[in-house]
Amino acid sequence: MSPLGAADQPAELALLPDAAVTKYLSRGIQSGQELPPQVALARACVAYDARTAERRRTAPVRELVDEAIRRFAANRHAADGWLAPRLHATLRMTRAEAADSRLWNHLAMIVAPDYVVWRHKGADKAEGRGIATAARFSGPHYTQAFSRLWWAAELFRDGDDYGPVATACRVQDVLNTTMRLDVVDHRATAQAMIRVIGGLLDSGVARPGDHVNAFSSAVNAAGSTLMYDVLAPDVEPDVDELYDWIEEGSGEVVDWDRLPRGPFDGRVKGASLDALLPLFEKLRTEAPMRKRKASEPEEEAPATVPAPRASGVTLSKPSDFV
């Protein structure tokens, strides 16, 4: 249960500006020794309109967070694959809405700061307590504690099927590295990459994160000369189906023991996957790996610097999506 207690938990999510997080986030909050100043933060929030607020209830999200902490107490990294699709199916919204960092700030600072610390706190050391970095509370969509999960589900789902999301979350480097590459905005590319990564993980290869980083960099680099959207054409998602899905179930509690269903807005065509998979398998086997330091954990390893954007792929930043 939230450290605030049920009586103090806000009923709806709101929009908390980045500046407020910067002002009030302290090392004590990052280490879990202090709670964020709720009154001051609440004053800085911008409320949603009444209709949107009804679809942004905090209780279902808080229940998911509590269950994740309970289920994965012995392996917090494994919580990502369980929580990502369920968070996405609970917070139903467009990409444009999800690109607003203020929503995720509110979740991290007011609704569930304990989850941020539990999931991302570093190890205690002789010089002091470990902390969850500031970017886990307020940061890019691929780093912030809740945003990274929602976007992982959005980018790697295949229409209504969240199965690929669970595969993507099996190794942290997919979220740390692959998810920030522009090429994954092309749905067929994202699905083909996850197919290859899934096979890699099933093979039991040692240090899979190193292989994922190398493969992701190779796909991104090849995209600067190859046109993936020409090799593997994709159809535009069905926006009407997306909006119907949003209206039908926002804020509802999802099943904890079965994967939820995403919007029926279309799956990637099999022919497009068939066109990319042989190429991506070749890139995987030939990709040179960066040698990770023995003391460097896979969870926090720095991502490979992305290659320039692929010239033939129509790509967008989260803020560009409708």
Side-chain angles (χ1 to χ4, degrees), residues 41-276:
L41 290 171
R43 288 173 180 162
C45 287
V46 177
Y48 282 108
D49 62 80
R51 186 169 181 273
T52 304
E54 180 60 29
R55 296 192 283 110
R56 299 283 189 274
R57 295 188 294 117
T58 61
V61 179
R62 186 64 238 188
E63 290 177 22
L64 275 179
V65 168
D66 289 335
E67 180 64 11
I69 293 173
R70 185 191 69 81
R71 285 192 180 210
F72 300 97
N75 184 5
R76 57 182 179 163
H77 297 172
D80 292 350
W82 183 86
L83 188 53
R86 290 167 177 83
L87 180 67
H88 187 273
T90 299
L91 289 179
R92 302 189 180 192
M93 64 185 98
T94 66
R95 291 187 174 191
E97 291 173 310
D100 192 336
S101 64
R102 297 176 299 169
L103 164 64
W104 309 114
N105 293 344
H106 188 270
L107 257 176
M109 290 292 286
I110 294 180
V111 177
D114 57 320
Y115 169 83
V116 181
V117 174
W118 172 79
R119 174 61 186 84
H120 295 290
K121 179 178 177 289
D124 294 339
K125 298 180 180 179
E127 57 268 28
R129 289 181 176 271
I131 63 169
T133 62
R136 299 300 188 183
F137 289 88
S138 179
H141 73 281
Y142 48 78
T143 301
Q144 201 272 351
F146 293 102
S147 178
R148 69 194 284 269
L149 298 177
W150 194 96
W151 279 101
E154 175 63 17
L155 291 171
F156 295 119
R157 68 180 174 88
D158 188 12
D160 61 311
D161 181 14
Y162 284 120
V165 180
T167 300
C169 292
R170 285 173 61 188
V171 58
Q172 287 301 305
D173 291 83
V174 174
L175 276 66
N176 293 341
T177 302
T178 310
M179 198 168 77
R180 68 178 67 189
L181 302 179
D182 289 322
V183 291
V184 299
D185 290 339
H186 181 237
R187 296 195 309 161
T189 296
Q191 290 304 310
M193 290 183 75
I194 292 304
R195 292 276 188 96
V196 172
I197 290 171
L200 179 69
L201 297 178
D202 291 341
S203 73
V205 67
R207 300 193 70 83
D210 290 349
H211 290 270
V212 168
N213 277 331
F215 168 61
S216 298
S217 295
V219 170
N220 202 58
S224 63
T225 55
L226 297 173
M227 295 181 289
Y228 293 147
D229 59 345
V230 174
L231 292 173
D234 194 12
V235 295
E236 289 295 320
D238 189 325
V239 177
D240 289 337
E241 288 288 348
L242 172 64
Y243 280 112
D244 287 345
W245 177 79
I246 290 173
E247 292 297 328
E248 287 169 3
S250 289
E252 298 300 322
V253 177
V254 297
D255 195 310
W256 289 351
D257 296 312
R258 292 187 303 173
L259 276 178
R261 305 299 296 184
F264 291 91
D265 56 354
R267 295 190 179 185
V268 173
K269 295 187 293 185
S272 293
L273 285 175
D274 292 341
L276 291 178

Side-chain angles (χ1 to χ4, degrees), residues 11-32:
E12 293 93 19
L13 290 166
L15 302 172
L16 179 65
D18 295 344
V21 180
T22 301
K23 180 177 180 179
Y24 293 109
L25 184 62
S26 67
R27 192 174 184 87
I29 295 170
Q30 291 174 260
S31 66

